Every structure is written in C-alpha cells, then in structure tokens.
Amino acid sequence: MKKVIAANFLFLLLLLIACTHVVKNPTPLSQHSIQTSPYTEQEYRIQVGDQLDIKFFYNPELNEQVTVRPDGRISLQLVREIMTAGLTPAELTDLLTKKYAKELKMPEVTVIVCSFGSQRVYVDGEVAKPGIVPLVGFVTVLQAISQAGGMKDSARMSEVVLIRRGTDNKPLTLQVNAQKVIDGTDMSQDIALKPFDIVYVPKSPIANVNVWVDQYIRKNIPISTGFGYYLNP
C-alpha cells in the first residue's frame, strides 16, 4: 500500500513540474517600445502628486510650493484653483501669467517641478521587499529588483515579466532573462524602465512544487519520522 502511495505521489510531482512552464504572452513589447534609455524628446507633463515651486520675480510674497492634488488641481493665492495635471511646465507658466495679469502689473511667473509623484515603478513577486520603487534617473529591471531587496532563492530568474502601459492603455508584456544579465551573457535583457512599469518575479518550478507539497501533502498525509512515529501537522 505504501509503495502505491509513493508511486502516485511521485507521479503527481512529475506532473506538477511539467505544468509549471510559463506560456509566452502573445503581446510582447515591440523593439520600438524597448528603449535603452527612458528619456524622450517629449516635454514632461505635470502629474498628480508632483510638487511645484511657483515663483514670482517681482512679487516674491506670492511664491508658493504646492502639490498637485488627486483631482489634478492646485490652489494659489488670488487665482484660487488651477487645473495643472496634463500641462507642461511651460504651458502652466503661460496660464498663470494670464491669470495673474488681471491682478498684477508685471506677473513674471516661473514654474519649477521639484519632485515627480508619477516617477515610480512597481516590483512584485519573489523579491525581498515587494512594492513601489522610485524612478530616479536611469533605472533598469535589475536595478529596480535590487532596490526591492533582491530576488529570493525561490525566484525564477530566467522568466522575469515586465508589464508596460501601451499607447492605447493596453498592457504590453515582455519576458526578461535576468540570469543572462547576472552572468553577463546578454546585457540587453536589462531594459530601462518607464513610469508605472511593473516588474514581476515569478516562483521557480521547484518553489511551486514545495508550496504544493506543503499544502496538499504535509498538511494532509501523515509523514513517517523514521522512529516509528507519524506526524500530521
């Protein structure tokens, strides 16, 4: 009877391992979407959470530092609420100059973006500290994983998934072989990240097997200790 149970258990393990292969996503990132640098020629557009310095050359008493609210607006003296999300700093400067022209003789206004609320990526899965990673300057997939505490021993390094928002807001995905980056055989796999990218590190096949064994075998089937006793957690 024990031999039959052992044979069935081995068969289930082999079946589980065979089923853990990841199917390639049918919507990979195009080569045009994968850039070696995240910088583009497009002007930056103000986002929710950005911190702005509003400075007046001739009226410094009106200088303010404000944060763009979740509704995309900021509140300023004299002109009250202004919709700022989606504007470039230059466009906001022109808008404020026109608004303050009704109140001031020479409204010389400058808008400075001090911090960027939208400059972040998300790292999840088999990393030590999953969560938000600030996107400061040039950050690659491996650098973001490093900031998230690095990969766990249970990580599937050869099949890291990068999910990126496309131009039509549809998710684009790419499989990244982090192992080739670590051993130096293909550094092009270490893709530069863009705001709101998601890096997901999946479990390795053996890690999936261990979870399955723990949930369905160790907790449900008595295990011999080798001393004539059986454990059933």
Side-chain angles (χ1 to χ4, degrees), residues 33-68:
S33 301
I34 304 169
Q35 299 182 356
T36 56
S37 170
Y39 310 122
T40 66
E41 295 181 356
Q42 295 181 349
E43 285 191 75
Y44 178 76
R45 294 194 173 274
I46 297 168
Q47 305 289 329
V48 170
D50 286 357
Q51 192 173 64
L52 309 177
D53 252 351
I54 313 295
K55 293 187 178 295
F56 294 79
F57 187 77
Y58 295 110
N59 304 89
E61 69 278 4
L62 296 177
N63 291 352
E64 290 193 63
Q65 187 172 92
V66 294
T67 301
V68 182

Side-chain angles (χ1 to χ4, degrees), residues 64-96:
E64 290 193 63
Q65 187 172 92
V66 294
T67 301
V68 182
R69 303 193 313 242
D71 62 0
R73 293 176 168 83
I74 59 173
S75 297
L76 296 173
Q77 302 174 66
L78 301 181
V79 297
R80 299 185 180 180
E81 295 190 347
I82 302 291
M83 174 59 74
T84 59
L87 300 178
T88 67
E91 289 171 344
L92 180 57
T93 297
D94 291 341
L95 177 61
L96 292 179

Side-chain angles (χ1 to χ4, degrees), residues 136-199:
V136 180
F138 185 89
V139 179
T140 66
V141 170
L142 264 290
Q143 289 170 342
I145 291 174
S146 178
Q147 291 186 54
M151 289 187 243
K152 296 180 180 178
D153 293 339
S154 54
R156 188 183 308 187
M157 294 188 292
S158 62
E159 294 181 351
V160 175
V161 179
L162 171 61
I163 305 171
R164 176 168 293 171
R165 183 184 299 176
T167 54
D168 54 358
N169 284 327
K170 292 183 179 180
L172 304 174
T173 63
L174 178 74
Q175 184 174 296
V176 176
N177 192 331
Q179 183 61 57
K180 289 187 177 181
V181 180
I182 293 172
D183 60 28
T185 57
D186 186 3
M187 298 302 294
S188 66
Q189 294 281 326
D190 199 11
I191 298 168
L193 298 178
K194 293 183 176 182
F196 304 113
D197 278 356
I198 299 172
V199 177

